[in-house]
Amino acid sequence: MFVKVTTSGPRRYVQLVESYRDDAGRVKKRTVATLGRLDQLTGELDSVIDGLLKVTGREPVIAPSETTPVGATTGVSFESARAFGNVWTLTEIWKELGFCDLRRVFRRTRHTIDVEALIRIMVLNRLCDPDSKLGVLRWLQTVALPDIDMKALTHQHLLRSMDALMDKQEAVDDVVAKLLRPLVDQDLSVAFYDMTTIRAEGLTTMEGDVRKFGMAKEGLIARQFMLGVVQTSDGLPIYHEVFDGNTAETKTLLPILKKVMDRFPNLRRLILVADRGLLSLDNLEALQAIRLRPDKGPDPSKGQALEFIIAVPGRRYHEFADLLEPLQEQCAIAKTEITGEVHWNGLRMVVAHDPQTALEQHQKRKAAMTELETQAKGWAGKLDDQDQGVKKRGRKLSDSGTKARFYHAVLEARLGKIIKVDMKAELFSYAIDEDALRLAQMMDGKLLMVTNVQDMAPDKVIERYKSLADIERGFKVLKSELEIGPVYHRLPERIRAHASICFMALILHRVMRMRLRAANTGVTPERALQSLKRIQHHRVSINGAPPLCGVSCMTTEQNAVLAALKVNQPSQFKQISLL
């Protein structure tokens, strides 16, 4: 038997129909009962349905609750589904790493709110859907956060938690350093240090303001603050600090190193890899004099020396041409990347030569020079024609104007050392400096490094320096995925708190990346969170009864991501109040 809706004129009826076979074996249907008009049915059939379910030994699914008010509308109602899988995963990693120990830091504060939970909310928001602190409240309406009741949460609570974070900054740093220590290689740690600029909005100024006008990484003057980050060779960030927007990068190096050593006292050795903007060949003596752990004896200079790997700026390659001449024969016949080293001023100068890069640089320079020479030949021909009285279309040229245009074109092509424009001559003229061209060709495809590390092979030195690009990717994550800027906070401490929240988010991001890579999933943290976001939390109410909660089924891809991240499958949770 089955239920059938039939139409008779403008009305529709619900009927119970039975299928049977006649004497000839043909299938026919007959109406057993007409249950009534469809538009007039409300809850009259509930008792019939419940009775049939009881007869079959099943529990009624739409039976009214004892607490259902008299006259209440019966039926099934669904609440909007909320994203659950991504925030569940991040919360589990947060707890596993030990960030929940922050709760003990804020236990004895003047704040009555759960500061650790509010910080966690803002960190998770940076990873899932970065927004302003007001935007965090809107985001909370779309997710089901484990262990947190969000009904009484306000914008002021978030700001007060940021203030509490700065009030306990030293204790917070100790907790973060403690949870990072097991993840850092204690025997040999290669630290990468770099700085970036973070755009800040607003025109007001105040005492202690970190928002200063300076040269941004994008090459323009902007109001900003500087953010320095130290990370390991595995890409794990271990320390950060906010500086004024006009701070010289070189002045931040030694204070940062001392703080890193204080927070990780068990490090037996530290090799610093920094970009050429932070370490320069001009202060090598000062760098070699740095002692990370001064000797406690009468001579502090005998303590642990700073080991470093520095890239030689390209503008200074010509200073080492004679030194590199013996290696040039090997470079000329190389088919794959080769490395070598020479000694310079008591230090090792490591050289890497990539034939493919050298060919590309040579072809690019040749094409640029050909284009410039063609352009110069055309201008020179037009100037000669003008001198002979030949009239041509377009504006007339002058020798001084042509010299200026060609000079700027040469500079834009970065060929000023090779193509020499004679600005003092009366007529337009230029010359090719063959020595400079030969030197440029000699340096094509080369990377020069200076280091005082004695027990590392040349190829390993180059490999360590190339890993510095990973910290640049970390800044890219901060600026794109985590959207650390532009910053609209006005108070200096709020800006530092915002940077700390983004730094914690970066730690979670890098831990996710390390685990996904170790499992060979080929999945990025962003893609993993996007996939886990589709694991949703649902709530349904039936006839006004207490709502039923559930989590959507998981796909094979989602199960694989959770396994790679070493996180258990999501389950139901209980909520605790923040206030």
Side-chain angles (χ1 to χ4, degrees):
M1 286 189 291
F2 59 93
V3 176
K4 180 182 179 182
V5 178
T6 60
T7 302
S8 177
R11 298 183 177 88
R12 304 176 71 192
Y13 296 88
V14 180
Q15 296 178 332
L16 188 62
V17 181
E18 178 187 26
S19 295
Y20 69 98
R21 293 182 182 272
D22 60 10
D23 296 336
R26 291 173 296 186
V27 177
K28 291 191 175 183
K29 298 178 178 62
R30 59 188 172 201
T31 301
V32 177
T34 299
L35 303 178
R37 284 170 51 180
L38 182 62
D39 58 340
Q40 293 180 349
L41 291 178
T42 53
E44 293 88 346
L45 296 180
D46 291 351
S47 58
V48 178
I49 296 172
D50 289 346
L52 292 173
L53 289 172
K54 290 179 180 179
V55 170
T56 58
R58 297 163 61 187
E59 291 293 330
V61 296
I62 59 173
S65 170
E66 295 180 359
T67 60
T68 303
V70 178
T73 303
T74 58
V76 181
S77 63
F78 296 89
E79 295 183 11
S80 297
R82 294 172 178 252
F84 180 58
N86 53 351
V87 292
W88 163 272
T89 301
L90 292 171
T91 300
E92 290 299 298
I93 297 176
W94 173 276
K95 294 178 180 178
E96 178 191 347
L97 293 178
F99 278 105
C100 52
D101 290 344
L102 292 174
R103 183 163 293 172
R104 291 188 289 102
V105 173
F106 301 110
R107 184 174 297 168
R108 296 181 179 180
T109 64
R110 57 185 176 85
H111 302 277
T112 58
I113 55 178
D114 188 345
V115 178
E116 182 271 335
L118 294 177
I119 292 174
R120 189 197 333 157
I121 287 175
M122 290 184 282
V123 170
L124 268 56
N125 172 257
R126 288 286 124 192
L127 288 159
C128 297
D129 186 16
D131 208 334
S132 65
K133 301 307 176 286
L134 280 173
V136 171
L137 300 180
R138 295 189 292 269
W139 171 72
L140 287 175
Q141 305 306 313
T142 66
V143 298
L145 277 172
D147 305 330
I148 295 177
D149 180 11
M150 302 169 290
K151 294 180 181 179
L153 187 60
T154 67
H155 180 231
Q156 287 299 316
H157 290 144
L158 297 177
L159 297 181
R160 295 296 174 266
S161 66
M162 296 176 71
D163 296 338
L165 180 61
M166 286 298 98
D167 291 342
K168 298 290 183 178
Q169 181 65 60
E170 186 173 349
V172 170
D173 288 343
D174 290 341
V175 170
V176 174
K178 179 181 177 181
L179 66 91
L180 288 174
R181 282 171 195 147
L183 305 177
V184 178
D185 182 5
Q186 305 296 324
D187 294 324
L188 171 61
S189 181
V190 179
F192 298 87
Y193 176 54
D194 204 354
M195 297 188 70
T196 190
T197 57
I198 307 298
R199 187 75 172 268
E201 300 293 341
L203 300 176
T204 60
T205 58
M206 57 189 312
E207 184 178 356
D209 203 337
V210 298
R211 301 171 299 169
K212 305 289 185 180
F213 284 96
M215 180 62 70
K217 293 294 184 180
E218 296 78 13
L220 48 86
I221 301 296
R223 196 175 195 192
Q224 61 189 15
F225 64 89
M226 306 286 289
L227 179 66
V229 175
V230 181
Q231 72 175 31
T232 67
S233 57
D234 295 324
L236 183 68
I238 58 176
Y239 185 73
H240 82 286
E241 190 163 340
V242 172
F243 299 94
D244 291 352
N246 56 0
T247 302
E249 296 182 359
T250 53
K251 295 181 179 179
T252 67
L253 176 61
L254 187 55
I256 287 285
L257 285 177
K258 290 182 177 178
K259 291 177 182 178
V260 169
M261 296 302 294
D262 290 341
R263 282 166 172 74
F264 300 92
N266 294 328
L267 286 179
R268 298 180 178 89
R269 184 181 181 187
L270 181 65
I271 300 176
L272 176 69
V273 182
D275 204 359
R276 57 197 64 161
L278 284 164
L279 301 178
S280 67
L281 299 179
D282 298 326
N283 58 3
L284 283 177
E285 293 184 1
L287 289 173
Q288 294 178 77
I290 295 176
R291 293 295 179 268
L292 300 177
R293 291 193 178 93
D295 189 70
K296 297 181 179 180
D299 188 2
S301 63
K302 295 183 179 180
Q304 181 182 352
L306 169 68
E307 295 179 284
F308 53 81
I309 299 174
I310 310 173
V312 178
R315 66 180 183 275
R316 300 191 60 174
Y317 276 18
H318 66 277
E319 299 177 17
F320 309 98
D322 296 338
L323 199 61
L324 300 178
E325 193 66 39
L327 300 175
Q328 190 58 25
E329 293 183 5
Q330 301 178 30
C331 297
I333 61 176
K335 301 299 181 182
T336 58
E337 186 178 43
I338 62 173
T339 59
E341 69 173 282
V342 294
H343 291 280
W344 174 76
N345 289 355
L347 298 170
R348 299 171 62 199
M349 176 168 287
V350 178
V351 183
H353 177 77
D354 186 352
Q356 183 62 34
T357 303
L359 179 61
E360 293 174 358
Q361 292 176 345
H362 175 73
Q363 292 176 343
K364 182 179 179 181
R365 183 190 307 107
K366 184 177 179 180
M369 291 181 63
T370 300
E371 182 180 353
L372 288 171
E373 288 180 310
T374 301
Q375 190 177 47
K377 185 178 180 180
W379 286 342
K382 188 173 181 178
L383 287 170
D384 291 340
D385 290 342
Q386 288 179 179
D387 293 342
Q388 296 174 9
V390 179
K391 294 184 178 180
K392 290 188 176 182
R393 296 181 62 183
R395 296 179 59 183
K396 293 183 62 176
L397 297 180
S398 66
D399 287 280
S400 59
T402 303
K403 286 188 293 183
R405 290 177 61 184
F406 189 67
Y407 177 73
H408 288 296
V410 169
L411 292 183
E412 288 181 3
R414 298 186 177 182
L415 294 171
K417 293 184 178 180
I418 299 175
I419 302 178
K420 302 294 186 180
V421 183
D422 191 351
M423 301 298 291
K424 296 181 179 180
E426 183 178 352
L427 301 179
F428 168 59
S429 63
Y430 69 93
I432 304 296
D433 189 331
E434 296 296 339
D435 292 336
L437 178 59
R438 193 178 306 108
L439 177 61
Q441 293 171 346
M442 176 182 174
M443 294 302 174
D444 283 343
K446 288 184 175 58
L447 177 63
L448 274 59
M449 313 293 303
V450 174
T451 179
N452 63 347
V453 181
Q454 301 299 324
D455 57 351
M456 190 177 291
D459 58 332
K460 293 298 182 181
V461 173
I462 298 298
E463 180 183 343
R464 291 300 189 185
Y465 178 76
K466 289 183 177 179
S467 299
L468 183 62
D470 197 49
I471 196 171
E472 295 292 342
R473 286 190 286 270
F475 285 138
K476 183 179 179 181
V477 170
L478 280 171
K479 292 184 177 182
S480 57
E481 281 81 0
L482 305 184
E483 294 186 14
I484 189 174
V487 176
Y488 293 90
H489 291 290
R490 176 177 58 89
L491 301 177
E493 295 305 306
R494 295 267 175 88
I495 293 176
R496 291 188 173 91
H498 174 74
S500 294
I501 290 169
C502 292
F503 179 74
M504 296 179 193
L506 183 60
I507 292 175
L508 294 181
H509 182 279
R510 287 309 176 94
V511 169
M512 288 183 64
R513 190 186 71 163
M514 292 165 61
R515 294 183 179 182
L516 291 170
R517 284 184 174 181
N520 295 319
T521 60
V523 178
T524 63
E526 293 77 25
R527 181 180 168 187
L529 291 175
Q530 193 64 31
S531 175
L532 295 173
K533 182 180 179 180
R534 296 195 295 271
I535 302 176
Q536 296 183 328
H537 181 263
H538 302 273
R539 285 168 59 95
V540 57
S541 298
I542 303 175
N543 289 335
L548 303 174
C549 301
V551 177
S552 58
C553 296
M554 285 169 283
T555 65
T556 303
E557 177 189 0
Q558 292 165 343
N559 283 324
V561 170
L562 289 174
L565 295 174
K566 302 178 182 178
V567 174
N568 296 327
Q569 293 184 356
S571 61
Q572 294 297 323
F573 56 86
K574 296 181 180 180
Q575 291 185 337
I576 60 174
S577 176
L578 279 174
L579 304 174

